Amino acid sequence: MEKTLIYHYTSLSHLIEIFKVGKLHTSQTEKMLKVKKPGLWFTTNSKWEHSAFKRFNDGKKEFARFVTNLNSLFVTFAKYKHKSKVNPLLWDKMAEIGKSKGADPSEWYATFSPLSINNLDIEIYENGEWLNLKKEGGEFDSDLFNRNLEKTFVFKKGKEMEEKMLKEYQANQPKSDTVSEDIKSTPVVDKNVSEEKLIKEPVLEEKPFSI
């Protein structure tokens, strides 16, 4: 039987935070809305999931996704309505918002527990294609990660703060140029000239003491 792949889309900035905890967690929005069993959402759409981003839907730059096989841990959006005990009005609103962004709720699948990222494939969108962040031997492709990390808002803000702190540090350092200039302007005695003068001066002959 052919396996069905499902995808959890996220931004590269969020990917950094996910790496820190090592897990994908269930929806914070649903927790705030008091849904009894919040979902962790995936989609069968292998190209893009328009409902995944509230602010960034102008393209796939600076994004990543987690990939796994569809299995019994996941339920369809239709079954989620009953399993999660979500308010029917909220469930309808979720579908309405998703469709308004160009998404298809029939492609959505939810699970109700966090998932370790160790058991998931990770892909980054670069130059028009999704590239696997894990190499064949399971090794992390640090080159792929780092060159895309530089595009993120978090990285850019970090660099700006670093440069600002460096400038402030340099501005607060005491100026020692004056002392250096004084030292440079002090005349240096020519050792050879001094020695010549000492040699040319007549030496007085010491006379024996007489009574």
Side-chain angles (χ1 to χ4, degrees):
M1 184 177 177
E2 187 178 351
K3 294 180 179 179
T4 301
L5 294 177
I6 51 177
Y7 309 87
H8 176 87
Y9 291 85
T10 188
S11 68
L12 283 177
S13 297
H14 284 150
L15 181 64
I16 298 168
E17 297 302 315
I18 293 168
F19 280 155
K20 290 179 182 179
V21 298
K23 293 180 179 180
L24 290 177
H25 288 287
T26 53
S27 171
Q28 291 296 321
T29 302
E30 290 174 35
K31 289 175 184 176
M32 290 189 292
L33 293 172
K34 307 298 182 184
V35 176
K36 290 186 177 180
K37 293 181 69 176
L40 167 57
W41 291 96
F42 283 72
T43 177
T44 55
N45 193 322
S46 61
K47 294 181 180 179
W48 190 239
E49 176 50 51
H50 294 283
S51 67
F53 306 102
K54 297 178 178 64
R55 292 179 297 164
F56 312 103
N57 266 319
D58 57 346
K60 297 188 259 313
K61 59 183 180 180
E62 299 179 21
F63 294 114
R65 67 184 184 185
F66 292 88
V67 188
T68 190
N69 292 313
L70 181 61
N71 56 51
S72 59
L73 294 174
F74 294 89
V75 298
T76 62
F77 181 63
K79 289 184 178 179
Y80 161 84
K81 180 178 181 180
H82 307 290
K83 290 275 187 180
S84 66
K85 297 180 172 58
V86 64
N87 184 309
L89 293 177
L90 177 58
W91 183 84
D92 288 337
K93 194 66 177 178
M94 290 169 68
E96 180 185 331
I97 293 172
K99 290 176 181 178
S100 70
K101 292 182 177 182
D104 182 356
S106 68
E107 297 174 338
W108 298 349
Y109 286 82
T111 186
F112 300 104
S113 300
L115 293 179
S116 170
I117 63 174
N118 293 331
N119 302 321
L120 306 172
D121 284 330
I122 309 169
E123 297 177 344
I124 287 180
Y125 191 82
E126 182 181 70
N127 298 327
E129 59 181 331
W130 291 97
L131 304 176
N132 203 323
L133 198 54
K134 292 181 180 178
K135 297 180 180 179
E136 289 185 5
E139 183 183 353
F140 190 80
D141 191 340
S142 56
D143 290 337
L144 174 62
F145 179 74
N146 288 334
R147 66 174 176 260
N148 282 278
L149 177 65
E150 294 176 0
K151 305 174 186 176
T152 65
F153 174 79
V154 171
F155 182 87
K156 290 175 183 176
K157 290 300 292 183
K159 291 296 290 183
E160 287 176 8
M161 289 180 64
E162 183 182 338
E163 290 171 1
K164 182 180 178 182
M165 290 172 66
L166 181 60
K167 288 179 181 178
E168 289 177 353
Y169 172 78
Q170 291 172 338
N172 293 328
Q173 289 302 297
K175 295 182 179 180
S176 57
D177 292 342
T178 306
V179 177
S180 301
E181 289 300 321
D182 289 343
I183 294 171
K184 289 178 182 178
S185 61
T186 302
V188 179
V189 177
D190 190 330
K191 185 178 178 183
N192 293 330
V193 172
S194 301
E195 288 178 350
E196 286 178 6
K197 287 182 179 179
L198 286 172
I199 294 170
K200 291 179 180 178
E201 286 180 0
V203 179
L204 295 175
E205 183 180 352
E206 185 177 347
K207 296 183 179 179
F209 179 74
S210 61
I211 297 175

